[in-house]
Amino acid sequence: MTSGDEESVGGPEAITLDDVRERLDGRWDCRAITGGYVAIPKLTAGTPIPRYGETPAELLENIARSEASQ
């Protein structure tokens, strides 16, 4: 992900982890980890595949790509 990609979702400082949680409306369990952030989908069936990001904006972008491909 380039800095230009981060700007397209508001820049890394513009989005907080709480913003990500709010936008995902409880579909993902999001938290900070060493070196970034992780989100694990809350599924009723199947194996959850976590998504990672160095910033909340990058995490949100990775989740959006994941959801769009399903």
Side-chain angles (χ1 to χ4, degrees):
M1 175 175 250
T2 66
S3 61
D5 293 332
E6 287 180 346
E7 290 171 9
S8 70
V9 291
E13 298 84 24
I15 296 178
T16 67
L17 186 57
D18 287 335
D19 294 334
V20 172
R21 289 178 179 137
E22 185 177 314
R23 290 182 188 195
L24 297 174
D25 196 32
R27 296 187 313 271
W28 294 74
D29 176 25
C30 304
R31 61 182 173 267
I33 59 172
T34 302
Y37 300 87
V38 65
I40 301 169
K42 296 179 180 177
L43 304 174
T44 56
T47 302
I49 299 173
R51 300 292 180 231
Y52 300 91
E54 290 183 10
T55 66
E58 185 177 316
L59 178 64
L60 186 60
E61 183 70 24
N62 290 339
I63 291 169
R65 277 190 235 138
S66 171
E67 289 184 337
S69 69
Q70 294 179 2

